[in-house]
Amino acid sequence: MSRVSIREARLDDSAAIALFTTNTFSWGDYVSDEFPDWLNEADAVVAVAVDEEDLPIAVARVRMLGPREGWLSAARVHPDHRRLGLGSSLNDWCVEWVAARGGVVCRLQIEIGNEAAENQVVRIGYRRVLEVVNAERSTRLPPDANGFPRTPRAERLERSPRGEADLAFMAWSTSDIGRATRGMFATESWAWRGLIVEDLREGNLWASPAGWVLTQTEDDYLDVRWLMCGPEDVDRLLGAVVELAGRTDATTISLPVVKIDWVLDALNRLAFTIVHPSRIYEKAIT
């Protein structure tokens, strides 16, 4: 193999990166479209492995999702240069970047079925910590889809007072769902980090007698980033989420969630579609 080096990406790398990140999956890919915006992110960098002519032949994105937590994503290698260790070398470079910023852990997410990627990260020291899915539901479905009862007014979600964030955080920290998620939540559909109470204080926290949810709206989506309830209340809380979405302009509800049987059962009862089953891996930085 000719000499390969790793450097930070530049905007003039766009065309070369697009050549090997356009049809990665059956549905295409997002890397070439998002790449220019990634270059302007704070606490983040895009790394590229380049050949002797300084042309990118592999790419990866790394971010600090918290003061001590790194997140790696968008790792792609040109088909003509696979199985040469470029993915592992890029990963090592990204881990060093996180370590230089005080990070103590790096995480990444791999969709189930991508055995080559899973085997690769295990070889370089990652371990599997969570299985997650994305649950989606159209808001155009009736509230009582699948025979699910309509949400009584008393169960509807209302804005939670800012001071209630501490109560919600403490309840979650010692709950079954909190332990099952290893203290993490989805900052977006494909990125997870440890939850801190400030996330609840500063975010869109909603409460009902059944529990709490943390939401954000983006485009036509109502995204549920975090939820707190028990098995006996999950049907009521998710029913309240559907009712809340009906009060917005959202056309789709999105819920990244750890695979917990009683949560998945409730999502199925409420006609959510379960997509993108994935595994989260983490590597301690020593």
Side-chain angles (χ1 to χ4, degrees):
M1 183 178 68
S2 59
R3 184 180 63 84
V4 174
S5 58
I6 297 175
R7 62 166 170 80
E8 293 189 22
R10 306 185 300 256
L11 185 59
D12 60 7
D13 294 323
S14 298
I17 289 172
L19 288 176
F20 63 91
T21 63
T22 301
N23 297 306
T24 308
F25 307 103
S26 59
W27 47 266
D29 204 339
Y30 60 87
V31 170
S32 61
D33 292 334
E34 301 290 338
F35 172 73
D37 293 333
W38 292 343
L39 298 180
N40 298 316
E41 289 182 321
D43 295 321
V45 69
V46 179
V48 287
V50 298
D51 63 15
E52 292 179 325
E53 297 180 354
D54 200 38
L55 289 176
I57 54 177
V59 62
R61 178 190 183 203
V62 58
R63 293 175 283 166
M64 297 300 295
L65 293 186
R68 308 185 78 187
E69 297 171 272
W71 184 264
L72 282 64
S73 62
R76 308 284 189 270
V77 178
H78 192 293
D80 294 342
H81 299 276
R82 290 175 182 165
R83 297 180 178 84
L84 298 175
L86 293 182
S88 297
S89 295
L90 268 178
N91 195 295
D92 290 344
W93 189 97
C94 291
V95 169
E96 291 177 6
W97 182 90
V98 171
R101 282 148 187 81
V104 298
V105 64
C106 282
R107 299 188 184 96
L108 52 82
Q109 184 170 342
I110 300 174
E111 196 159 0
I112 291 175
N114 190 348
E115 293 183 4
E118 291 192 89
N119 291 337
Q120 179 219 351
V121 299
V122 169
R123 283 196 303 271
I124 58 176
Y126 284 81
R127 65 188 183 96
R128 188 175 76 191
V129 292
L130 289 178
E131 289 200 13
V132 300
V133 299
N134 285 357
E136 295 184 353
R137 186 191 196 275
S138 170
T139 59
R140 295 188 174 94
L141 289 173
D144 56 353
N146 283 4
F148 200 94
R150 292 180 179 272
T151 305
R153 180 169 294 275
E155 294 289 348
R156 293 181 181 179
L157 287 160
E158 302 294 344
R159 290 279 187 181
S160 182
R162 191 173 186 274
E164 198 170 280
D166 294 79
L167 176 62
F169 184 81
M170 286 189 293
W172 177 78
S173 298
T174 58
S175 69
D176 290 343
I177 196 169
R179 287 189 291 270
T181 59
R182 294 177 57 89
M184 287 188 277
F185 83 118
T187 63
E188 57 192 66
S189 295
W190 289 83
W192 293 70
R193 67 162 168 82
L195 181 79
I196 57 177
V197 69
E198 284 76 12
D199 294 317
L200 305 183
R201 289 177 183 155
E202 303 299 332
N204 295 318
L205 185 64
W206 300 80
S208 82
W212 293 272
V213 297
L214 184 69
T215 70
Q216 69 180 39
T217 55
E218 184 174 355
D219 299 327
D220 296 326
Y221 281 79
L222 174 69
D223 295 324
V224 179
R225 295 298 174 206
W226 171 88
L227 74 162
M228 165 56 202
C229 65
E232 68 281 1
D233 297 317
V234 64
D235 286 338
R236 295 158 53 212
L237 184 62
L238 290 175
V241 167
V242 172
E243 192 278 333
L244 172 64
R247 290 186 258 152
T248 73
D249 295 327
T251 60
T252 304
I253 305 166
S254 174
L255 174 61
V257 63
V258 172
K259 288 180 67 175
I260 303 170
D261 288 344
W262 52 269
V263 175
L264 297 183
D265 290 344
L267 288 166
N268 285 323
R269 286 192 291 271
L270 199 52
F272 277 82
T273 299
I274 306 299
V275 296
H276 302 306
S278 307
R279 296 183 176 114
I280 294 176
Y281 288 82
E282 73 177 23
K283 180 178 183 176
I285 299 176
T286 57

